[in-house]
Amino acid sequence: MLSQKKARITRMKIKKLISKRKINKRIRTIARQINRDYAGQELLLVCILKGGVFYACELAKHINVPVEIDFMKVSSYGRGTTSKGSIDIEQDLSTSIENKNVLIVEDIIDTGITLSSLVPILKEHGPASVSITTLLDKPSRRKENVDVDYVGFTIDDYFVVGFGLDYDQKYRELDYVGVVEK
Ligand code: IMP
Ligand code: MG
């Protein structure tokens, strides 16, 4: 009989922090605020890959002004400077943002380095406006100031997974947010 090598699976223990029901309720509330703020206008959701995808999809379903979605993949060097050189754009937008209302959709804001570097880069391309929404915010870790317009949940300094957030690229698919127990 052919022997098949099986990839070893290691699952960490994850403690639930925010339930699926709470997350979806909060996203609907944020969508209602966005609907009021952008009434009569159009919106371009700029989803930050990969983690922002789950939040962006859920949010978009409840937005009732015309929306477009585009994607960007950025990586931060983790250096504490606001210079645009603190991030690498690994995948750029596929459409022009000129004269558009841009809403950046992020999974979590931690040090703030990624978004404090990204916003000025986007502004160079002449958008009508740039706003930010994040599912989670860890303000206690902030190194660079970020003006966030719509925050899902403010959390303490935990390393969290689920609803788009990963640990070593895993656990993004969880429909809740949990803390990895080491
Ligand atoms: P920062 O705000 O520039 O520090 O970067 C935020 C990015 O770091 C997020 O988009 C996540 O990809 C990642 N990150 C920060 N905290 C966590 C966490 O608790 N779990 C998973 N990813 C995180
Ligand atoms: Mg991210």
Side-chain angles (χ1 to χ4, degrees):
M1 209 160 80
L2 283 172
S3 72
Q4 222 178 344
K5 257 196 185 161
K6 283 187 183 160
R8 278 243 320 271
I9 298 175
T10 42
R11 299 298 281 182
M12 318 269 294
K13 228 179 149 196
I14 294 160
K15 191 166 171 248
K16 195 176 281 187
L17 184 68
I18 312 169
S19 70
K20 167 186 173 181
R21 193 186 60 81
K22 267 196 176 160
I23 295 170
N24 289 308
K25 190 170 171 228
R26 182 75 189 126
I27 293 176
R28 285 195 296 274
T29 304
I30 291 175
R32 279 197 292 275
Q33 285 173 21
I34 290 171
N35 290 335
R36 281 196 295 273
D37 294 349
Y38 291 89
Q41 302 179 68
E42 294 188 359
L43 195 54
L44 171 65
L45 301 182
V46 169
C47 172
I48 307 302
L49 295 170
K50 299 173 186 173
V53 168
F54 294 71
Y55 175 39
C57 290
E58 207 46 49
L59 187 66
K61 289 179 202 168
H62 301 284
I63 293 178
N64 61 21
V65 300
V67 284
E68 281 179 65
I69 302 188
D70 206 344
F71 302 91
M72 254 187 131
K73 190 159 193 278
V74 293
S75 62
S76 139
Y77 303 143
R79 284 203 304 259
T81 63
T82 35
S83 82
K84 298 166 207 163
S86 322
I87 54 167
D88 248 348
I89 296 181
E90 294 179 19
Q91 185 183 316
D92 210 342
L93 296 167
S94 65
T95 47
S96 163
I97 61 169
E98 200 177 346
N99 297 324
K100 290 186 181 168
N101 291 314
V102 170
L103 178 61
I104 300 172
V105 184
E106 180 60 297
D107 52 0
I108 190 165
I109 302 178
D110 186 32
T111 63
I113 292 170
T114 305
L115 288 188
S116 65
S117 306
L118 181 62
V119 169
I121 294 172
L122 292 181
K123 283 188 174 166
E124 279 178 0
H125 293 92
S129 64
V130 178
S131 301
I132 296 173
T133 183
T134 184
L135 180 64
L136 302 171
D137 188 13
K138 277 200 273 195
S140 61
R141 296 252 312 158
R142 205 67 102 248
K143 287 187 184 154
E144 296 297 339
N145 180 53
V146 181
D147 291 324
V148 193
D149 301 273
Y150 311 94
V151 176
F153 300 89
T154 299
I155 61 167
D156 291 333
D157 183 13
Y158 299 119
F159 191 85
V160 287
V161 294
F163 224 93
L165 291 126
D166 73 300
Y167 172 78
D168 202 14
Q169 296 301 325
K170 305 268 173 32
Y171 308 107
R172 295 189 195 276
E173 74 283 8
L174 301 177
D175 58 9
Y176 60 90
V177 168
V179 180
V180 179
E181 298 200 316
K182 298 255 168 89

PDB file of all heavy atoms in Angstrom, residues 116-146:
ATOM      1  N   SER A 116      -0.222  55.406   9.337  1.00  0.00           N
ATOM      2  CA  SER A 116       0.320  56.769   9.342  1.00  0.00           C
ATOM      3  C   SER A 116       1.243  56.980   8.145  1.00  0.00           C
ATOM      4  O   SER A 116       1.457  58.113   7.722  1.00  0.00           O
ATOM      5  CB  SER A 116       1.047  57.074  10.654  1.00  0.00           C
ATOM      6  OG  SER A 116       2.176  56.258  10.786  1.00  0.00           O
ATOM      7  N   SER A 117       1.767  55.899   7.595  1.00  0.00           N
ATOM      8  CA  SER A 117       2.595  56.009   6.388  1.00  0.00           C
ATOM      9  C   SER A 117       1.738  55.936   5.128  1.00  0.00           C
ATOM     10  O   SER A 117       2.041  56.589   4.127  1.00  0.00           O
ATOM     11  CB  SER A 117       3.618  54.871   6.333  1.00  0.00           C
ATOM     12  OG  SER A 117       4.364  54.830   7.508  1.00  0.00           O
ATOM     13  N   LEU A 118       0.678  55.134   5.165  1.00  0.00           N
ATOM     14  CA  LEU A 118      -0.136  54.924   3.958  1.00  0.00           C
ATOM     15  C   LEU A 118      -1.000  56.137   3.603  1.00  0.00           C
ATOM     16  O   LEU A 118      -1.123  56.487   2.417  1.00  0.00           O
ATOM     17  CB  LEU A 118      -1.017  53.677   4.145  1.00  0.00           C
ATOM     18  CG  LEU A 118      -1.909  53.321   2.959  1.00  0.00           C
ATOM     19  CD1 LEU A 118      -1.070  53.004   1.717  1.00  0.00           C
ATOM     20  CD2 LEU A 118      -2.811  52.137   3.302  1.00  0.00           C
ATOM     21  N   VAL A 119      -1.588  56.776   4.616  1.00  0.00           N
ATOM     22  CA  VAL A 119      -2.511  57.885   4.336  1.00  0.00           C
ATOM     23  C   VAL A 119      -1.860  58.982   3.484  1.00  0.00           C
ATOM     24  O   VAL A 119      -2.424  59.379   2.459  1.00  0.00           O
ATOM     25  CB  VAL A 119      -3.136  58.430   5.650  1.00  0.00           C
ATOM     26  CG1 VAL A 119      -3.872  59.740   5.406  1.00  0.00           C
ATOM     27  CG2 VAL A 119      -4.078  57.397   6.262  1.00  0.00           C
ATOM     28  N   PRO A 120      -0.648  59.485   3.835  1.00  0.00           N
ATOM     29  CA  PRO A 120      -0.048  60.522   2.978  1.00  0.00           C
ATOM     30  C   PRO A 120       0.250  60.041   1.555  1.00  0.00           C
ATOM     31  O   PRO A 120       0.161  60.830   0.609  1.00  0.00           O
ATOM     32  CB  PRO A 120       1.247  60.909   3.701  1.00  0.00           C
ATOM     33  CG  PRO A 120       1.352  60.070   4.906  1.00  0.00           C
ATOM     34  CD  PRO A 120       0.119  59.265   5.067  1.00  0.00           C
ATOM     35  N   ILE A 121       0.547  58.763   1.414  1.00  0.00           N
ATOM     36  CA  ILE A 121       0.798  58.218   0.061  1.00  0.00           C
ATOM     37  C   ILE A 121      -0.495  58.291  -0.759  1.00  0.00           C
ATOM     38  O   ILE A 121      -0.496  58.723  -1.910  1.00  0.00           O
ATOM     39  CB  ILE A 121       1.323  56.757   0.136  1.00  0.00           C
ATOM     40  CG1 ILE A 121       2.708  56.719   0.786  1.00  0.00           C
ATOM     41  CG2 ILE A 121       1.358  56.116  -1.247  1.00  0.00           C
ATOM     42  CD1 ILE A 121       3.251  55.330   1.078  1.00  0.00           C
ATOM     43  N   LEU A 122      -1.617  57.901  -0.151  1.00  0.00           N
ATOM     44  CA  LEU A 122      -2.899  57.936  -0.871  1.00  0.00           C
ATOM     45  C   LEU A 122      -3.291  59.377  -1.190  1.00  0.00           C
ATOM     46  O   LEU A 122      -3.797  59.673  -2.282  1.00  0.00           O
ATOM     47  CB  LEU A 122      -4.001  57.253  -0.057  1.00  0.00           C
ATOM     48  CG  LEU A 122      -3.862  55.737   0.130  1.00  0.00           C
ATOM     49  CD1 LEU A 122      -5.034  55.191   0.937  1.00  0.00           C
ATOM     50  CD2 LEU A 122      -3.781  55.007  -1.210  1.00  0.00           C
ATOM     51  N   LYS A 123      -3.035  60.287  -0.250  1.00  0.00           N
ATOM     52  CA  LYS A 123      -3.435  61.691  -0.447  1.00  0.00           C
ATOM     53  C   LYS A 123      -2.719  62.345  -1.629  1.00  0.00           C
ATOM     54  O   LYS A 123      -3.229  63.281  -2.223  1.00  0.00           O
ATOM     55  CB  LYS A 123      -3.228  62.497   0.834  1.00  0.00           C
ATOM     56  CG  LYS A 123      -4.331  62.208   1.862  1.00  0.00           C
ATOM     57  CD  LYS A 123      -4.259  63.124   3.066  1.00  0.00           C
ATOM     58  CE  LYS A 123      -5.473  62.894   3.970  1.00  0.00           C
ATOM     59  NZ  LYS A 123      -5.295  63.511   5.302  1.00  0.00           N
ATOM     60  N   GLU A 124      -1.542  61.833  -1.960  1.00  0.00           N
ATOM     61  CA  GLU A 124      -0.804  62.364  -3.120  1.00  0.00           C
ATOM     62  C   GLU A 124      -1.560  62.140  -4.425  1.00  0.00           C
ATOM     63  O   GLU A 124      -1.279  62.776  -5.431  1.00  0.00           O
ATOM     64  CB  GLU A 124       0.563  61.674  -3.241  1.00  0.00           C
ATOM     65  CG  GLU A 124       1.601  62.248  -2.310  1.00  0.00           C
ATOM     66  CD  GLU A 124       2.938  61.509  -2.402  1.00  0.00           C
ATOM     67  OE1 GLU A 124       3.039  60.548  -3.203  1.00  0.00           O
ATOM     68  OE2 GLU A 124       3.848  61.895  -1.660  1.00  0.00           O
ATOM     69  N   HIS A 125      -2.514  61.192  -4.413  1.00  0.00           N
ATOM     70  CA  HIS A 125      -3.227  60.858  -5.647  1.00  0.00           C
ATOM     71  C   HIS A 125      -4.563  61.585  -5.797  1.00  0.00           C
ATOM     72  O   HIS A 125      -5.403  61.172  -6.600  1.00  0.00           O
ATOM     73  CB  HIS A 125      -3.418  59.336  -5.755  1.00  0.00           C
ATOM     74  CG  HIS A 125      -2.103  58.624  -5.940  1.00  0.00           C
ATOM     75  ND1 HIS A 125      -1.369  58.148  -4.866  1.00  0.00           N
ATOM     76  CD2 HIS A 125      -1.376  58.347  -7.045  1.00  0.00           C
ATOM     77  CE1 HIS A 125      -0.253  57.602  -5.329  1.00  0.00           C
ATOM     78  NE2 HIS A 125      -0.236  57.706  -6.649  1.00  0.00           N
ATOM     79  N   GLY A 126      -4.752  62.635  -5.009  1.00  0.00           N
ATOM     80  CA  GLY A 126      -5.907  63.521  -5.181  1.00  0.00           C
ATOM     81  C   GLY A 126      -7.284  62.953  -4.887  1.00  0.00           C
ATOM     82  O   GLY A 126      -8.241  63.271  -5.610  1.00  0.00           O
ATOM     83  N   PRO A 127      -7.444  62.159  -3.822  1.00  0.00           N
ATOM     84  CA  PRO A 127      -8.794  61.701  -3.494  1.00  0.00           C
ATOM     85  C   PRO A 127      -9.632  62.857  -2.951  1.00  0.00           C
ATOM     86  O   PRO A 127      -9.075  63.848  -2.465  1.00  0.00           O
ATOM     87  CB  PRO A 127      -8.540  60.657  -2.386  1.00  0.00           C
ATOM     88  CG  PRO A 127      -7.281  61.112  -1.733  1.00  0.00           C
ATOM     89  CD  PRO A 127      -6.436  61.706  -2.831  1.00  0.00           C
ATOM     90  N   ALA A 128     -10.964  62.726  -3.027  1.00  0.00           N
ATOM     91  CA  ALA A 128     -11.838  63.766  -2.460  1.00  0.00           C
ATOM     92  C   ALA A 128     -11.703  63.754  -0.940  1.00  0.00           C
ATOM     93  O   ALA A 128     -11.721  64.808  -0.300  1.00  0.00           O
ATOM     94  CB  ALA A 128     -13.286  63.505  -2.877  1.00  0.00           C
ATOM     95  N   SER A 129     -11.572  62.555  -0.357  1.00  0.00           N
ATOM     96  CA  SER A 129     -11.398  62.424   1.096  1.00  0.00           C
ATOM     97  C   SER A 129     -10.763  61.080   1.404  1.00  0.00           C
ATOM     98  O   SER A 129     -10.836  60.156   0.584  1.00  0.00           O
ATOM     99  CB  SER A 129     -12.752  62.526   1.805  1.00  0.00           C
ATOM    100  OG  SER A 129     -13.585  61.447   1.415  1.00  0.00           O
ATOM    101  N   VAL A 130     -10.115  61.005   2.573  1.00  0.00           N
ATOM    102  CA  VAL A 130      -9.567  59.725   3.039  1.00  0.00           C
ATOM    103  C   VAL A 130      -9.998  59.517   4.491  1.00  0.00           C
ATOM    104  O   VAL A 130      -9.699  60.352   5.342  1.00  0.00           O
ATOM    105  CB  VAL A 130      -8.017  59.665   2.965  1.00  0.00           C
ATOM    106  CG1 VAL A 130      -7.500  58.328   3.499  1.00  0.00           C
ATOM    107  CG2 VAL A 130      -7.509  59.887   1.543  1.00  0.00           C
ATOM    108  N   SER A 131     -10.727  58.451   4.748  1.00  0.00           N
ATOM    109  CA  SER A 131     -11.125  58.100   6.110  1.00  0.00           C
ATOM    110  C   SER A 131     -10.638  56.689   6.405  1.00  0.00           C
ATOM    111  O   SER A 131     -10.225  55.970   5.501  1.00  0.00           O
ATOM    112  CB  SER A 131     -12.639  58.166   6.267  1.00  0.00           C
ATOM    113  OG  SER A 131     -13.090  59.456   5.965  1.00  0.00           O
ATOM    114  N   ILE A 132     -10.710  56.340   7.697  1.00  0.00           N
ATOM    115  CA  ILE A 132     -10.197  55.032   8.113  1.00  0.00           C
ATOM    116  C   ILE A 132     -11.230  54.310   8.963  1.00  0.00           C
ATOM    117  O   ILE A 132     -11.819  54.914   9.859  1.00  0.00           O
ATOM    118  CB  ILE A 132      -8.908  55.201   8.954  1.00  0.00           C
ATOM    119  CG1 ILE A 132      -7.794  55.826   8.114  1.00  0.00           C
ATOM    120  CG2 ILE A 132      -8.459  53.863   9.547  1.00  0.00           C
ATOM    121  CD1 ILE A 132      -6.537  56.193   8.913  1.00  0.00           C
ATOM    122  N   THR A 133     -11.422  53.025   8.691  1.00  0.00           N
ATOM    123  CA  THR A 133     -12.146  52.195   9.636  1.00  0.00           C
ATOM    124  C   THR A 133     -11.310  50.964   9.941  1.00  0.00           C
ATOM    125  O   THR A 133     -10.621  50.430   9.071  1.00  0.00           O
ATOM    126  CB  THR A 133     -13.555  51.785   9.151  1.00  0.00           C
ATOM    127  OG1 THR A 133     -14.187  51.038  10.196  1.00  0.00           O
ATOM    128  CG2 THR A 133     -13.534  50.943   7.882  1.00  0.00           C
ATOM    129  N   THR A 134     -11.348  50.564  11.211  1.00  0.00           N
ATOM    130  CA  THR A 134     -10.634  49.355  11.621  1.00  0.00           C
ATOM    131  C   THR A 134     -11.552  48.528  12.511  1.00  0.00           C
ATOM    132  O   THR A 134     -12.310  49.085  13.304  1.00  0.00           O
ATOM    133  CB  THR A 134      -9.319  49.700  12.356  1.00  0.00           C
ATOM    134  OG1 THR A 134      -8.618  48.492  12.654  1.00  0.00           O
ATOM    135  CG2 THR A 134      -9.545  50.454  13.659  1.00  0.00           C
ATOM    136  N   LEU A 135     -11.503  47.221  12.332  1.00  0.00           N
ATOM    137  CA  LEU A 135     -12.331  46.359  13.176  1.00  0.00           C
ATOM    138  C   LEU A 135     -11.855  46.437  14.623  1.00  0.00           C
ATOM    139  O   LEU A 135     -12.650  46.528  15.536  1.00  0.00           O
ATOM    140  CB  LEU A 135     -12.274  44.908  12.666  1.00  0.00           C
ATOM    141  CG  LEU A 135     -13.093  43.900  13.467  1.00  0.00           C
ATOM    142  CD1 LEU A 135     -14.581  44.210  13.389  1.00  0.00           C
ATOM    143  CD2 LEU A 135     -12.818  42.480  12.986  1.00  0.00           C
ATOM    144  N   LEU A 136     -10.519  46.419  14.795  1.00  0.00           N
ATOM    145  CA  LEU A 136      -9.960  46.421  16.145  1.00  0.00           C
ATOM    146  C   LEU A 136      -8.917  47.519  16.288  1.00  0.00           C
ATOM    147  O   LEU A 136      -8.236  47.871  15.324  1.00  0.00           O
ATOM    148  CB  LEU A 136      -9.296  45.070  16.444  1.00  0.00           C
ATOM    149  CG  LEU A 136     -10.180  43.827  16.331  1.00  0.00           C
ATOM    150  CD1 LEU A 136      -9.336  42.581  16.447  1.00  0.00           C
ATOM    151  CD2 LEU A 136     -11.270  43.827  17.380  1.00  0.00           C
ATOM    152  N   ASP A 137      -8.801  48.012  17.497  1.00  0.00           N
ATOM    153  CA  ASP A 137      -7.818  49.061  17.778  1.00  0.00           C
ATOM    154  C   ASP A 137      -7.116  48.722  19.086  1.00  0.00           C
ATOM    155  O   ASP A 137      -7.769  48.377  20.069  1.00  0.00           O
ATOM    156  CB  ASP A 137      -8.556  50.409  17.901  1.00  0.00           C
ATOM    157  CG  ASP A 137      -7.596  51.578  17.990  1.00  0.00           C
ATOM    158  OD1 ASP A 137      -6.396  51.392  17.720  1.00  0.00           O
ATOM    159  OD2 ASP A 137      -8.051  52.692  18.326  1.00  0.00           O
ATOM    160  N   LYS A 138      -5.782  48.775  19.041  1.00  0.00           N
ATOM    161  CA  LYS A 138      -4.981  48.536  20.263  1.00  0.00           C
ATOM    162  C   LYS A 138      -4.230  49.820  20.591  1.00  0.00           C
ATOM    163  O   LYS A 138      -3.028  49.929  20.334  1.00  0.00           O
ATOM    164  CB  LYS A 138      -3.947  47.417  19.987  1.00  0.00           C
ATOM    165  CG  LYS A 138      -4.472  46.023  20.125  1.00  0.00           C
ATOM    166  CD  LYS A 138      -3.351  44.999  20.331  1.00  0.00           C
ATOM    167  CE  LYS A 138      -2.776  44.495  19.047  1.00  0.00           C
ATOM    168  NZ  LYS A 138      -1.962  43.265  19.179  1.00  0.00           N
ATOM    169  N   PRO A 139      -4.920  50.828  21.125  1.00  0.00           N
ATOM    170  CA  PRO A 139      -4.288  52.146  21.322  1.00  0.00           C
ATOM    171  C   PRO A 139      -3.090  52.127  22.267  1.00  0.00           C
ATOM    172  O   PRO A 139      -2.204  52.976  22.150  1.00  0.00           O
ATOM    173  CB  PRO A 139      -5.424  53.011  21.887  1.00  0.00           C
ATOM    174  CG  PRO A 139      -6.465  52.073  22.360  1.00  0.00           C
ATOM    175  CD  PRO A 139      -6.328  50.816  21.577  1.00  0.00           C
ATOM    176  N   SER A 140      -3.032  51.142  23.174  1.00  0.00           N
ATOM    177  CA  SER A 140      -1.920  51.112  24.130  1.00  0.00           C
ATOM    178  C   SER A 140      -0.583  50.822  23.448  1.00  0.00           C
ATOM    179  O   SER A 140       0.476  51.040  24.022  1.00  0.00           O
ATOM    180  CB  SER A 140      -2.184  50.050  25.196  1.00  0.00           C
ATOM    181  OG  SER A 140      -2.281  48.778  24.576  1.00  0.00           O
ATOM    182  N   ARG A 141      -0.632  50.336  22.199  1.00  0.00           N
ATOM    183  CA  ARG A 141       0.597  49.993  21.475  1.00  0.00           C
ATOM    184  C   ARG A 141       1.039  51.090  20.497  1.00  0.00           C
ATOM    185  O   ARG A 141       2.023  50.937  19.779  1.00  0.00           O
ATOM    186  CB  ARG A 141       0.340  48.705  20.684  1.00  0.00           C
ATOM    187  CG  ARG A 141       0.057  47.508  21.569  1.00  0.00           C
ATOM    188  CD  ARG A 141       1.195  46.564  21.577  1.00  0.00           C
ATOM    189  NE  ARG A 141       1.670  46.266  20.236  1.00  0.00           N
ATOM    190  CZ  ARG A 141       2.888  45.822  19.964  1.00  0.00           C
ATOM    191  NH1 ARG A 141       3.752  45.636  20.937  1.00  0.00           N
ATOM    192  NH2 ARG A 141       3.241  45.555  18.716  1.00  0.00           N
ATOM    193  N   ARG A 142       0.290  52.177  20.472  1.00  0.00           N
ATOM    194  CA  ARG A 142       0.507  53.179  19.435  1.00  0.00           C
ATOM    195  C   ARG A 142       1.876  53.847  19.506  1.00  0.00           C
ATOM    196  O   ARG A 142       2.317  54.281  20.568  1.00  0.00           O
ATOM    197  CB  ARG A 142      -0.579  54.247  19.550  1.00  0.00           C
ATOM    198  CG  ARG A 142      -0.819  54.951  18.244  1.00  0.00           C
ATOM    199  CD  ARG A 142      -1.431  54.077  17.144  1.00  0.00           C
ATOM    200  NE  ARG A 142      -2.838  54.320  16.999  1.00  0.00           N
ATOM    201  CZ  ARG A 142      -3.756  53.427  17.320  1.00  0.00           C
ATOM    202  NH1 ARG A 142      -3.416  52.242  17.757  1.00  0.00           N
ATOM    203  NH2 ARG A 142      -5.013  53.716  17.174  1.00  0.00           N
ATOM    204  N   LYS A 143       2.555  53.925  18.348  1.00  0.00           N
ATOM    205  CA  LYS A 143       3.812  54.676  18.238  1.00  0.00           C
ATOM    206  C   LYS A 143       3.606  55.906  17.375  1.00  0.00           C
ATOM    207  O   LYS A 143       4.314  56.884  17.501  1.00  0.00           O
ATOM    208  CB  LYS A 143       4.895  53.801  17.605  1.00  0.00           C
ATOM    209  CG  LYS A 143       5.427  52.728  18.524  1.00  0.00           C
ATOM    210  CD  LYS A 143       6.609  52.028  17.884  1.00  0.00           C
ATOM    211  CE  LYS A 143       7.091  50.881  18.749  1.00  0.00           C
ATOM    212  NZ  LYS A 143       7.760  49.850  17.943  1.00  0.00           N
ATOM    213  N   GLU A 144       2.679  55.798  16.423  1.00  0.00           N
ATOM    214  CA  GLU A 144       2.393  56.911  15.511  1.00  0.00           C
ATOM    215  C   GLU A 144       0.905  57.220  15.573  1.00  0.00           C
ATOM    216  O   GLU A 144       0.080  56.305  15.579  1.00  0.00           O
ATOM    217  CB  GLU A 144       2.760  56.531  14.064  1.00  0.00           C
ATOM    218  CG  GLU A 144       4.236  56.282  13.849  1.00  0.00           C
ATOM    219  CD  GLU A 144       5.096  57.512  14.097  1.00  0.00           C
ATOM    220  OE1 GLU A 144       4.569  58.645  14.042  1.00  0.00           O
ATOM    221  OE2 GLU A 144       6.300  57.332  14.357  1.00  0.00           O
ATOM    222  N   ASN A 145       0.570  58.515  15.582  1.00  0.00           N
ATOM    223  CA  ASN A 145      -0.834  58.901  15.669  1.00  0.00           C
ATOM    224  C   ASN A 145      -1.588  58.578  14.367  1.00  0.00           C
ATOM    225  O   ASN A 145      -1.089  58.814  13.273  1.00  0.00           O
ATOM    226  CB  ASN A 145      -0.919  60.398  15.971  1.00  0.00           C
ATOM    227  CG  ASN A 145      -2.347  60.854  16.081  1.00  0.00           C
ATOM    228  OD1 ASN A 145      -3.129  60.271  16.846  1.00  0.00           O
ATOM    229  ND2 ASN A 145      -2.708  61.851  15.304  1.00  0.00           N
ATOM    230  N   VAL A 146      -2.777  58.022  14.530  1.00  0.00           N
ATOM    231  CA  VAL A 146      -3.646  57.750  13.378  1.00  0.00           C
ATOM    232  C   VAL A 146      -5.039  58.260  13.746  1.00  0.00           C
ATOM    233  O   VAL A 146      -5.547  57.933  14.813  1.00  0.00           O
ATOM    234  CB  VAL A 146      -3.738  56.225  13.080  1.00  0.00           C
ATOM    235  CG1 VAL A 146      -4.614  55.961  11.869  1.00  0.00           C
ATOM    236  CG2 VAL A 146      -2.363  55.611  12.868  1.00  0.00           C
TER     237      VAL A 146
END
